[in-house]
Amino acid sequence: MPRALITGITGQDAGYLADFLESKGYEVHGAVRPRPNSARQQSPNLSNQISIHPVDLRDAPAVAQLLRRVRPHEVYHLAAQTHIPVSFEDPGATVEANVITTLRLLEGCQRLDSPPRFFHASTSQIFGRPDKAPQDEQTPVRPVNPYGASKAMATDLVRIWRESHGLFAVNGILFNHESPRRGPDFVTGKICRAAAAIKLGRQRELLLGDVHAHRDWGDARDFIEGFWRSLQHSTPDDYVFATGELHSVQQVVDVAFATVGLDPAIHVRIDPSLFRKTEPSHVVGNPAKACAILGWTPLTPFAKLIRDMTEAALLACLETAT
Ligand code: NAP
């Protein structure tokens, strides 16, 4: 039975990946931050079959011990400090969470008698404000926030461990991907939850910044299959995972409010204080390499993704009332 270790098991992508790997017959292990409450209490989406390991991923001996105990065939390193504003507030913690953890895992994997295949969740944020669109694996790396800078360094470490230490190590350069499990701190999660809450009379209005900002939004449920495919290939490499399509925040609003039968013009207000100082433009990925080499396809259309998110938010809102 193949064994997989997923870090950041309480996160959006990890839950879907764990389900996917279980459906493929894997024994799944998940790493969580050591906390007083059990991880399962924090993440109701996780199946009972998953073995949970509390571990501080910055701690080299603890990481080495975890790897020796689990002896994974595949490691999916998804744990990260993922919020850009938080990365400005606490760049040190962001570097520890995103760079040091990656380094500890690479070192630990390399030292095992049978090193596992290693997937690292990198990000389009490594490109910052790119000059050319769409972006691909050759696009110059020029991050504009500490989150992007930390991921850029982690991405380089993964490439170095592949080229210099022979580890089967892959960077997935991930553009935005959402799902019904996306948190409210992200704009799609905020909009879909607000549409549901306004429909049920729990919220009066939705305040947004620049609704003309555009993003390449994919579906997390499609992306995680790409992570897995990248580790099944005969050789390790870096791959962009993206849809190649740009949609505006206004389009998210329109689909979400239409899903609950409301007119957004009545409920959405623009708050200039929410505009970002450095809004990147034309951040859109070219997934041609992943499509051609891995046979990966971003299947879910944008409107279906936003509808799914809004319907799930509506259901969650109704459940909290009962
Ligand atoms: P997410 O939902 O924010 O989950 C992040 C996970 O990392 C959580 O399990 C969290 O644990 C854990 N974590 C946070 N800080 C940590 C730390 N200091 N030490 C150990 N674990 C820590 O993220 P996601 O959306 O699933 O994304 C998965 C990966 O893809 C991340 O590496 C992210 O940077 C990358 N990515 C995501 C997107 C996207 O659009 N979703 C785009 C590009 C790249 P707690 O539950 O304890 O907080």
Side-chain angles (χ1 to χ4, degrees):
M1 189 189 240
R3 272 183 308 280
L5 171 66
I6 306 174
T7 70
I9 192 72
T10 54
Q12 168 189 258
D13 292 2
Y16 289 115
L17 178 63
D19 291 347
F20 176 82
L21 292 176
E22 281 195 326
S23 75
K24 294 258 174 218
Y26 280 70
E27 178 184 307
V28 179
H29 296 254
V32 293
R33 291 197 255 194
R35 281 209 176 128
N37 294 329
S38 93
R40 261 185 235 297
Q41 282 168 336
Q42 298 166 35
S43 188
N45 300 319
L46 288 179
S47 121
N48 287 327
Q49 304 302 315
I50 299 171
S51 305
I52 298 293
H53 305 269
V55 62
D56 181 347
L57 294 172
R58 299 165 303 178
D59 178 344
V63 169
Q65 193 187 31
L66 172 70
L67 289 167
R68 280 197 304 271
R69 195 173 339 130
V70 175
R71 289 181 298 111
H73 301 97
E74 295 171 10
V75 173
Y76 295 87
H77 181 33
L78 308 187
Q81 194 301 98
T82 56
H83 293 269
I84 292 168
V86 173
S87 80
F88 277 107
E89 286 158 24
D90 198 343
T94 302
V95 167
E96 286 194 17
N98 298 357
V99 182
I100 304 300
T101 62
T102 308
L103 179 60
R104 297 301 176 229
L105 283 160
L106 289 167
E107 289 171 330
C109 289
Q110 181 203 346
R111 288 192 188 120
L112 291 179
D113 291 338
S114 293
R117 294 187 168 199
F118 185 88
F119 177 87
H120 169 241
S122 181
T123 168
S124 56
Q125 287 289 331
I126 64 175
F127 301 134
R129 283 191 295 279
D131 294 332
K132 288 192 182 143
Q135 295 83 51
D136 61 21
E137 294 79 5
Q138 307 307 322
T139 300
V141 170
R142 213 167 44 199
V144 293
N145 55 60
Y147 169 69
S150 68
K151 286 284 188 173
M153 180 157 190
T155 304
D156 276 342
L157 290 172
V158 170
R159 183 181 47 74
I160 290 166
W161 253 252
R162 178 171 73 225
E163 292 173 356
S164 300
H165 298 293
L167 194 70
F168 193 111
V170 169
N171 285 301
I173 304 169
L174 314 179
F175 283 62
N176 285 56
H177 49 282
E178 321 294 305
S179 77
R181 296 178 189 169
R182 190 59 141 161
D185 296 340
F186 294 88
V187 71
T188 53
K190 173 178 169 176
I191 292 168
C192 297
R193 278 177 175 75
I198 293 169
K199 175 71 179 176
L200 296 177
R202 311 264 179 91
Q203 187 173 325
R204 278 192 39 238
E205 61 178 2
L206 168 62
L207 295 181
L208 287 175
D210 183 7
V211 289
H212 302 297
H214 284 71
R215 289 285 181 281
D216 179 338
W217 277 298
D219 191 317
R221 296 164 291 186
D222 294 339
F223 275 48
I224 53 100
E225 179 162 349
F227 305 175
W228 175 76
R229 282 178 182 251
S230 71
L231 293 195
Q232 312 315 307
H233 195 63
S234 52
T235 46
D237 207 340
D238 296 340
Y239 299 96
V240 160
F241 292 100
T243 70
E245 285 179 20
L246 276 175
H247 293 277
S248 67
V249 173
Q250 183 63 52
Q251 285 175 287
V252 178
V253 168
D254 290 343
V255 175
F257 279 73
T259 303
V260 294
L262 292 177
D263 178 358
I266 299 171
H267 301 284
V268 178
R269 202 157 55 80
I270 303 303
D271 177 353
S273 74
L274 296 176
F275 277 60
R276 281 196 188 164
K277 286 192 198 91
T278 51
E279 182 61 48
S281 60
H282 295 104
V283 177
V284 56
N286 175 4
K289 183 175 169 185
C291 297
I293 296 179
L294 304 178
W296 178 74
T297 322
L299 287 172
T300 315
F302 167 79
K304 178 178 178 336
L305 167 65
I306 302 303
R307 274 199 304 275
D308 283 359
M309 291 176 69
T310 310
E311 282 163 6
L314 201 57
L315 213 61
C317 229
L318 283 168
E319 276 168 5
T320 56
T322 55

